Amino acid sequence: MIEEKKDELKPTVSFIEQFIAEDIKEGKNGGRIHTRFPPEPNGYLHIGHAKAICLDFGMAQKFGGKCNLRFDDTNPTKEDVEYVDSIKEDIHWLGFDWEEREFYASDYFGKLYDFAVELIKKNLAYIDDQPADVISAQKGSPTQPGTESPYRNRSVNESLDLFERMNNGEFDEGSRVLRAKIDMVTPNMHMRDPIIYRIIKTPHHRTGNKWMVYPMYDFAHGQSDYFEGITHSLCTLEFEVHRPLYDWFIDQLKTSDYRPRQIEFNRLNLTYTMMSKRKLLELVQEGRVSGWDDPRMPTLCGLRRRGYTPEAIRRFVDMIGYTKVEAINDVSLLEHAVREDLNIKTPRVFGVLDPLKVIITNYPEDKVENVELINNPEDEKMGKREVPFSREVFIEKDDFMEVPPHKFFRLAPGMEVRLKGAYIIKCTGLKKNDNTGEIVEVYCTYDPETRSGGNSSEKKVKGTLHWVSAKHAVDAEVRLYDRLFNHEDPAGQKEDDYRKFINPGSLKVLTGCKMEPSLKSSKPLEKFQFQRLGYFCVDYDSTGSKLVFNRTVQLKDTWAKVVKNDTKP
RNA sequence: UGUCCCGUGGUGUAAUUGGCAACACGUCUGAUUCUGGAUCAGAAGAGUUCAGGUUCGAGACCUGACGGGACAACCA
């Protein structure tokens, strides 16, 4: 039984895993595996990073190796410690650990500087005095070869001197750069004498004013891998064209057979979701969301606040796999992953979001019965609870219709439904607001013989409703979230057009929702299934005096689908 | 008019390395159910972008088209 299940869930082996397995088998780098997760501390981690984290840490785990955490902090103008802490928190939350191996590219600034000096001495690097636009123009274009800089053949000693003075702060930002001397006519733009050091006078969040020159990504990343003994440097597809340069620097650096290998995989795209850190930052700065952890954000802190579990995210990542195809994954797959996880973990409770009062006219005024309800039919161990029942209860407005359509299994005049865990009731009448015509109260009678669990509860009805006793109900605010964007691929549109596709109805705040009393003391991040509605999570804004819930995801709702299809023209 | 990467049901991935295309999500039936949930059973849906070639045999290999993407930051 268990074996069958295992077989069914057998994760597919990605091409990356196959590469790694081969490398180990061939005994490359001593048959070890050592990976790294290298975020730049310039924003919060999102679910796309989760995909990378699961790979980096996952592969190391699987093959008995290690995975380092390395902050790629080579650009002090964009980075901040604020982000370092959140990144660490999010990785731990996801369930991975770098142990004592927390590194920073800035740890290697000294070594990197020395390596740059060495390249100059080997006549493989030179200082260029030209401004950015001139250098850029000389680089040519993807279809046209570049031309050499007039400074390309200046003397080693002059470059050495200038580089040192650049770092002493003698020159302005932008006035000079250090370039690797490779080839100005190769088709690969990245190999056309790439800039490897530039002057930046903004203090660095870790090294302060120690340095005036900072290495570029290409000059830091592979070398950092090398310094740390990384064997497999896994990154996303857009770095594919950087690989020859990555290898070029390693060639200059290596003193033995050891060399790290860069392998690229497809980044995560999700329908109706935007993953660009820069644009997410804009959403935050422009106040279009409440912050990085707004539950509509694809950030890990946002998903956490929304009620997603790390298990669900890991499962999702597992399902989508790693390839070289630039794919766009359906969010419904992510939603399936949370439902699957929350279904087995979450206690069921009653919460009425849009209350309508039902008065059970033949039920004694002051009587209160405690009815027993199963906390989770998927897991007996989660036990039972008691919920008070009385003469006046709230049901969902949606669950009553004065003139019901075909196949409506809920409450309507003359119709019977079961109040889950309690009795079968029959609608005998209703009261409307004289002015608006809105239904304000529904009258019912109950059948005392039909109490749940009793022997005589043989009677069958089509519909079962959730409910909350009016006098015991706890008020709550409930925030309903929908997709942030209307467009399937908001990021794939013309630059910055994504704002046009922001869904104006992505957040609905409901107040005056009625919760069963057991929820009174619930704490932030606690998760529940509100029966028949969906999965909900207590928000950070929730307090003892004011409960706030976030809807993580709706339950599948085939009735809603029927209604929707019927309304279609 | 460059170089590199990619092209398998609606979506995402598989196919033991050349042996009659499988799984998940989604969709649709039916059973069951005190959640129109979950569960269970089943169905529809691709002949692998196209055209050649190699082979007894190609989704896998070769050639060429076509389509998509990456590359011209002193960002990562």
Side-chain angles (χ1 to χ4, degrees), chain A residues 13-32:
Chain A
V13 177
S14 69
F15 74 101
I16 296 177
E17 190 168 336
Q18 293 180 33
F19 283 173
I20 293 174
E22 282 163 23
D23 286 348
I24 291 175
K25 196 175 168 190
E26 289 168 19
K28 280 188 191 161
N29 297 326
R32 339 171 262 121

Side-chain angles (χ1 to χ4, degrees), chain A residues 208-433:
Chain A
N209 291 312
K210 185 171 179 199
W211 302 93
M212 292 290 148
V213 290
Y214 289 88
M216 297 284 289
Y217 164 83
D218 284 307
F219 196 72
H221 200 98
Q223 288 92 312
S224 301
D225 286 343
Y226 182 85
F227 298 146
E228 292 178 14
I230 300 302
T231 59
H232 298 270
S233 187
L234 313 176
C235 62
T236 45
L237 247 25
E238 65 272 26
F239 292 101
E240 214 155 20
V241 278
H242 293 245
R243 194 177 348 128
L245 185 54
Y246 180 101
D247 288 335
W248 192 87
F249 287 128
I250 299 295
D251 284 340
Q252 309 309 316
L253 200 52
K254 73 196 272 279
T255 56
S256 69
D257 283 344
Y258 158 65
R259 77 175 308 143
R261 193 226 295 207
Q262 176 179 305
I263 304 171
E264 311 85 10
F265 61 93
N266 60 346
R267 62 163 64 231
L268 172 67
N269 293 303
L270 269 182
T271 54
Y272 304 103
T273 311
M274 195 175 65
M275 225 65 89
S276 144
K277 259 199 231 176
R278 197 202 84 222
K279 291 176 184 171
L280 292 176
L281 176 62
E282 286 171 5
L283 291 176
V284 173
Q285 287 173 338
E286 293 167 18
R288 295 173 195 273
V289 294
S290 64
W292 284 101
D293 68 346
D294 186 299
R296 292 165 293 181
M297 293 282 271
T299 48
L300 294 180
C301 52
L303 289 165
R304 184 190 312 146
R305 188 172 181 180
R306 175 84 171 250
Y308 275 73
T309 57
E311 291 80 8
I313 292 173
R314 281 192 260 124
R315 173 91 182 100
F316 166 71
V317 165
D318 222 58
M319 289 190 288
I320 62 173
Y322 300 88
T323 67
K324 304 195 75 157
V325 185
E326 296 185 49
I328 176 154
N329 294 272
D330 203 315
V331 261
S332 64
L333 200 56
L334 213 212
E335 291 177 345
H336 171 260
V338 230
R339 286 197 193 99
E340 194 180 42
D341 190 44
L342 262 18
N343 179 43
I344 55 169
K345 288 183 181 161
T346 294
R348 318 278 119 139
V349 294
F350 287 164
V352 176
L353 301 190
D354 191 7
L356 171 64
K357 187 176 274 187
V358 170
I359 299 174
I360 301 161
T361 51
N362 62 338
Y363 195 88
E365 294 255 4
D366 298 322
K367 187 173 177 182
V368 175
E369 287 179 86
N370 281 317
V371 304
E372 197 176 58
L373 284 152
I374 293 168
N375 284 330
N376 190 340
E378 309 294 320
D379 183 2
E380 270 184 43
K381 290 196 288 290
M382 290 180 71
K384 296 172 176 177
R385 71 183 187 289
E386 291 195 330
V387 177
F389 179 79
S390 65
R391 187 173 195 260
E392 298 188 2
V393 299
F394 291 111
I395 65 166
E396 218 61 66
K397 269 203 181 95
D398 275 357
D399 285 339
F400 181 83
M401 280 188 103
E402 192 179 2
V403 187
H406 185 54
K407 281 196 170 174
F408 185 78
F409 302 149
R410 308 177 186 185
L411 196 61
M415 277 177 72
E416 284 185 312
V417 293
R418 173 173 291 283
L419 294 180
K420 188 174 174 65
Y423 299 98
I424 290 176
I425 58 170
K426 181 176 192 170
C427 175
T428 54
L430 56 87
K431 181 168 125 189
K432 287 185 182 176
N433 179 306

Side-chain angles (χ1 to χ4, degrees), chain A residues 39 45 69 71 83-94 96 98 102 104:
Chain A
L45 259 28
L69 169 61
F71 290 97
Y83 300 119
V84 170
D85 296 333
S86 77
I87 288 168
K88 292 199 279 188
E89 185 188 351
D90 288 344
I91 299 171
H92 275 149
W93 176 72
L94 253 192
F96 296 100
W98 54 92
E102 174 182 333
Y104 294 79

Side-chain angles (χ1 to χ4, degrees), chain A residues 169-217:
Chain A
E170 288 183 37
F171 308 120
D172 290 337
E173 288 188 9
S175 62
R176 269 172 249 262
V177 290
L178 179 65
R179 293 227 255 167
K181 193 185 287 189
I182 306 179
D183 185 347
M184 288 306 290
V185 298
T186 53
N188 187 334
M189 296 287 292
H190 295 277
M191 299 294 275
R192 317 238 261 234
D193 287 12
I195 292 167
I196 57 179
Y197 260 96
R198 71 302 204 188
I199 301 168
I200 296 176
K201 298 194 170 175
T202 306
H204 187 278
H205 65 101
R206 295 189 86 238
T207 59
N209 291 312
K210 185 171 179 199
W211 302 93
M212 292 290 148
V213 290
Y214 289 88
M216 297 284 289
Y217 164 83

